[in-house]
Amino acid sequence: MTQTDGNRRTVPGAELFFGESVAQYLADLSDDVFSEEGYAEGLLLGRRYRDDLGQYVIISGVTQDMSRTADAVGWFKSSESCDIDQNDISRMVSLFGYIRVYAIAVDYAQGSMAMYSVENGAARKVPSAMVENL
């Protein structure tokens, strides 16, 4: 698991930051999955940070190589729903254990995304921000 660094976040209300390239990758992958009526998953790569508001992450990349959990701060899926269900939580627990990880769920039919923090077997939606040039 990646280490936690101390830095002040650029958007005080956000807990998850991601680059344009991450959003583009997820959009392209979701378009492919939608046309096949399938499902895709992968890992969110990045770093954890901490400031006076608590923990946050900056996601700088994604991979579908599920063996790279040491470099990951979370998980993503592209399916027919933006919801994180118990099966998704179980999947994240199997990959990371019960530590806090982050998730991005893409609804490929609606073209929407939702961001989550998952910890101790429970998911909650978190505010996020897209950052240029990550």
Side-chain angles (χ1 to χ4, degrees):
M1 195 53 64
T2 58
Q3 70 183 47
T4 303
D5 292 326
N7 278 337
R8 194 158 197 61
R9 65 188 84 193
T10 56
V11 178
E15 189 172 334
L16 185 148
F17 296 84
F18 59 97
E20 291 177 84
S21 62
V22 169
Q24 189 61 54
Y25 178 89
L26 293 175
D28 291 344
L29 177 65
S30 295
D31 286 345
D32 293 343
V33 173
F34 177 68
S35 66
E36 298 168 7
E37 296 181 10
Y39 174 89
E41 71 171 344
L43 300 174
L44 302 171
L45 307 176
R47 293 186 71 109
R48 297 173 184 277
Y49 295 89
R50 180 167 293 285
D51 63 11
D52 55 344
L53 298 175
Q55 180 177 288
Y56 66 98
V57 295
I58 297 177
I59 297 166
S60 55
V62 292
T63 183
Q64 288 187 276
D65 178 354
M66 300 305 286
S67 68
R68 292 191 55 194
T69 56
D71 302 324
V73 294
W75 173 85
F76 74 85
K77 74 170 185 174
S78 179
S79 67
E80 51 197 32
S81 172
C82 279
D83 295 328
I84 295 290
D85 61 24
Q86 196 56 49
N87 290 331
D88 298 328
I89 291 171
S90 295
R91 177 68 171 141
M92 285 180 267
V93 168
S94 74
L95 290 167
F96 302 105
Y98 286 95
I99 64 166
R100 183 185 306 174
V101 294
Y102 292 85
I104 297 177
V106 181
D107 179 330
Y108 55 60
Q110 297 294 319
S112 58
M113 296 190 316
M115 285 61 168
Y116 296 86
S117 170
V118 179
E119 187 172 21
N120 296 321
R124 68 177 170 85
K125 284 189 175 180
V126 295
S128 64
M130 186 164 61
V131 181
E132 295 181 18
N133 301 324
L134 268 185

